[in-house]
Amino acid sequence: MQIQPLRGFREFYPEEMTARRKVIASMLKVVESYGFRETESPSLEPLELFRLKSGDEIVDGTFSFTDKGGREVTLIPETTPAVARMVSQKKTLVKPIKWYSFSRLWRYEEPQAGRFREFYQVNIDIFGVEGIEAEAEVVAVAVNMLVALGLKEEFVIKISDRILLQRILQLYGVKDLASAYRLIDKRNKLSKEEFVSEFDKIASKNMNDLLKAIEISGRMEPSLSKLMKIVPEDKIVNERIERLLRLASLLKSYGVEEQCILDMSVVRGIAYYTDTVFECYDAKGQLRALFGGGRYDELVQLFGGERIPAVGFALGDAVLELLVRRAGKWPKEELKTSYFVLVTDRKYLETGIRIVENLRKIGMIVEYDLLLRSMSKQMKYADKIGAEKVIILGEKEMNDGRVAVRDMRSGEQREMELKEFVG
Amino acid sequence: MQIQPLRGFREFYPEEMTARRKVIASMLKVVESYGFRETESPSLEPLELFRLKSGDEIVDGTFSFTDKGGREVTLIPETTPAVARMVSQKKTLVKPIKWYSFSRLWRYEEPQAGRFREFYQVNIDIFGVEGIEAEAEVVAVAVNMLVALGLKEEFVIKISDRILLQRILQLYGVKDLASAYRLIDKRNKLSKEEFVSEFDKIASKNMNDLLKAIEISGRMEPSLSKLMKIVPEDKIVNERIERLLRLASLLKSYGVEEQCILDMSVVRGIAYYTDTVFECYDAKGQLRALFGGGRYDELVQLFGGERIPAVGFALGDAVLELLVRRAGKWPKEELKTSYFVLVTDRKYLETGIRIVENLRKIGMIVEYDLLLRSMSKQMKYADKIGAEKVIILGEKEMNDGRVAVRDMRSGEQREMELKEFVG
């Protein structure tokens, strides 16, 4: 009886795993080079942990249930609440705290391109830094994670500041900020006319200038200059622009300014983020967001700790895979084997196994044929598992205390002393 | 508000993770050197997948629930059923199939020493090999996984054969095999007298010889000779002993015979395994089993495929950690940092970041102080994160185009040209 995996859940065969492992390893190597340290938290948590942050609506989008002990629990849809809890409950942590996790997550959503019900996320956070240096560090690590995968011009990070946007909206007489954010958030789903007409209902003056400000999207420094010229002179606006200029300058020091733009329309929902927000998209704008992040200075407090400023983001595996594949940078899905030891006769099995074990002990990937098949079948198998070299224990050579070593790429074959392998 | 993790679920802080990662990497490196290829399957599966193999009682021991689409699902308590499905559904797989997975698993059981509700398992299987060569290969990889962690005499693998045991029981007139297995399985929980008296009820002749046979536990070859002398001459017994002698000889070729014994009392439940069974325990017998495994030639068929012989085992992280810690071999829990770049003044920040980024790009783990604190505070932080070297950007040296590099172990400090780091 065949029982299929649940919809939105994936299985990975070995060839696929080789490529996935390469991608994950490349990214995490960059993350670790930045001094982010790995943590891990449970896959199943009290539902309350997420209600606290996201309210009741979170329940609909999760795999949540009542366990056998009567507890309301959920498969985790994100790691940030658990990470915030870990920060808040351990008082001896040295700041700044730079943590990452690589976790499996679950969301009860309709599967589609770039979205599964079970997926992975690299989650990266810095706790304890008020300054924009933290934003620069996480944006830089994000850019370099993608660069390590061979991406360069294929993505763009759109940066904004919610305090700046809020102040600008207020300066233009917008009182219903929540509606304004929602409207800006779904701007790309509306026609220009619809957007203007909707916005007109909540703004009170200079609609044109306001819309021009919101539409700013481009390299950080020129865009910030442009913004300054449009919006009315204001202390808060100046401070926030100053802060973003400082970020632009830091991003230049990191050498990642080319992948970053200011985009005043980035809002990222309503709650949670306090000021800086950013989102990463494929440059062609064909896919869902690769990741989103920002500053959330109030969250640790919510989980019972003191107030600890924080900046972070989470990068999922699904959209990333789509983008890397489209860019032609997905690693080759192939098995690798250093040596295949071909035992031509059962009487050489003991020697064969000793050779195999000696090579494995020095870290080589080595196989021999557990089925002890014919030489031609073994050669075929060696080829299928991508063996680089085949060591052949044949009668003629073995009688002379030698083995034949065939290079599977060049096809060249030469004899070597048996004692070099079993010595 | 503090919301604790669920009981039986663990959180890992960075220092702990460094040690865990080392342990996992050491083991998986050995597994890969044996040519086992990684696969991955969902964490949540239709409950039916496990019912099929283990019957209804499985439900009690799992985190299972009805999802929002009305499907009975469960967090996976083991990976074998999914692996068997993956084998059965893909017809193009080249045999033998040698797979491993490293997965998080969940069981609704009472937490205790060496048992959590959420844990990890390395699961290793060979599909497509009837011969005892498969058993030898998986026992050898198991031994060498543990040896790679620094264990040697701390563990023992007890090997038996259910067909041999069954035949012996039949030869002594035992008809109720299920009861006999159950009794043998809980032998260590009974006194000798209780065991004998219980067994007496189901055996019909030569109880003494039967008990002697079941009690055999020791190095494989002498134990098999002893067994031959005790039990009546029988064709099946001879065949099975022949097979185990062949395994003993293979294990010698692998160089793992010292960690393996014959133990006729190893049964491993009632269902699932068809002949060879083995269990690994700490040598002192203080802990729960480290792992269990064996041959299960009927399982793939059960999941809708053709009959494919299989041998495998699964090693959990919990008992393993206890044993490795007791043996004093658990890796040091410590953070590592290659360089800390100490920026003494904000005016050197840009240069500092460029140095940091250059070193990160060549794979070094590098940090600078995102809080731009005083020199003494930065030094303290560098020490806390285990920095090996600190590059100091001080006024005097910077004016000469130089930086100071301090070796944090020896305390030695020398000057180097700035251009060596930013060139």
Side-chain angles (χ1 to χ4, degrees), chain A residues 5-16:
Chain A
L6 298 169
R7 205 161 68 91
F9 288 73
R10 293 169 289 175
E11 288 174 324
F12 300 105
Y13 282 85
E15 288 80 0
E16 300 166 279

Side-chain angles (χ1 to χ4, degrees), chain A residues 40-47 49-50 58 61-65 73-83 85 101-108 117-121 123, chain B residues 6 9 75 104 106 118:
Chain A
E40 204 172 83
S41 55
S43 299
L44 195 72
E45 291 274 7
L47 185 56
L49 185 69
F50 298 92
I58 187 86
T62 59
F63 283 90
S64 49
F65 60 100
V73 296
T74 185
L75 282 169
I76 57 169
E78 56 164 332
T79 51
T80 304
V83 171
R85 175 185 64 205
S101 60
F102 179 68
S103 320
R104 229 171 183 177
L105 302 176
W106 298 268
R107 291 188 192 161
Y108 195 81
R117 287 185 164 174
E118 176 175 67
F119 58 99
Y120 283 93
Q121 255 186 8
N123 185 73
Chain B
L6 298 168
F9 288 73
L75 282 169
R104 229 171 184 180
W106 299 267
E118 176 175 69

Side-chain angles (χ1 to χ4, degrees), chain A residues 3 11 13 21 34 37-38 40 62 68 85-86 89 137 246 336-337 346 357 360, chain B residues 3 11-13 21 34 37-38 62 68 85-86 89 137 246 336-337 346 357 360:
Chain A
I3 293 164
E11 288 174 324
Y13 282 85
R21 281 290 169 216
Y34 274 73
R37 317 292 173 169
E38 191 179 13
E40 204 172 83
T62 59
K68 296 190 171 72
R85 175 185 64 205
M86 286 176 73
Q89 76 195 0
E137 181 95 339
R246 182 147 172 70
K336 281 204 172 146
T337 306
R346 199 171 265 273
E357 286 295 297
R360 285 171 175 170
Chain B
I3 294 164
E11 288 174 325
F12 300 104
Y13 282 85
R21 280 289 170 217
Y34 274 73
R37 317 293 173 169
E38 191 181 13
T62 59
K68 295 190 170 73
R85 175 184 65 204
M86 287 176 72
Q89 77 195 0
E137 181 96 340
R246 183 149 171 69
K336 281 206 173 145
T337 307
R346 199 171 264 275
E357 287 295 297
R360 285 171 175 170

Side-chain angles (χ1 to χ4, degrees), chain A residues 219-400:
Chain A
R219 297 293 288 271
M220 289 195 71
E221 281 164 356
S223 300
L224 287 164
S225 306
K226 204 164 140 192
L227 185 64
M228 279 218 273
K229 279 175 206 143
I230 298 172
V231 302
E233 177 70 20
D234 176 78
K235 187 166 161 284
I236 293 176
V237 167
N238 287 349
E239 278 171 13
R240 302 313 296 185
I241 288 181
E242 202 54 53
R243 186 174 161 91
L244 286 169
L245 281 170
R246 182 147 172 70
L247 176 59
S249 153
L250 285 166
L251 294 176
K252 234 178 237 170
S253 302
Y254 277 98
V256 299
E257 74 275 23
E258 286 190 23
Q259 286 91 355
C260 300
I261 62 169
L262 179 80
D263 187 320
M264 289 304 296
S265 72
V266 172
V267 177
R268 293 205 61 69
I270 316 189
Y272 191 102
Y273 292 107
T274 47
D275 43 277
T276 323
V277 283
F278 48 84
E279 279 174 349
C280 180
Y281 285 91
D282 65 296
K284 291 184 185 158
Q286 297 171 331
L287 307 172
R288 296 151 46 81
L290 270 112
F291 64 82
R295 178 173 281 277
Y296 44 100
D297 289 345
E298 317 291 344
L299 199 71
V300 176
Q301 206 166 11
L302 189 64
F303 290 99
E306 53 185 326
R307 182 181 175 284
I308 301 177
V311 178
F313 70 94
L315 169 65
D317 68 326
V319 178
L320 180 71
E321 181 173 341
L322 285 181
L323 181 60
V324 177
R325 282 189 188 275
R326 286 188 191 186
K329 304 288 187 183
W330 193 251
K332 204 170 161 192
E333 300 186 338
E334 60 180 351
L335 301 183
K336 281 204 172 146
T337 306
S338 330
Y339 287 95
F340 179 82
V341 176
L342 198 159
V343 176
T344 61
D345 190 293
R346 199 171 265 273
K347 69 185 169 207
Y348 304 132
L349 183 54
E350 189 192 329
T351 307
I353 291 175
R354 284 172 59 208
I355 295 175
V356 165
E357 286 295 297
N358 283 339
L359 291 168
R360 285 171 175 170
K361 283 206 167 58
I362 57 168
M364 301 283 128
I365 298 174
V366 191
E367 292 207 51
Y368 85 95
D369 187 21
L370 296 168
L371 293 166
L372 302 170
R373 289 168 292 195
S374 69
M375 189 159 161
S376 66
K377 283 194 175 151
Q378 289 194 45
M379 269 298 182
K380 216 168 143 184
Y381 181 71
D383 187 52
K384 291 270 190 189
I385 60 172
E388 286 164 34
K389 289 198 170 75
V390 176
I391 300 173
I392 305 166
L393 278 62
E395 177 122 38
K396 196 174 131 287
E397 293 84 0
M398 286 292 280
N399 285 343
D400 295 339

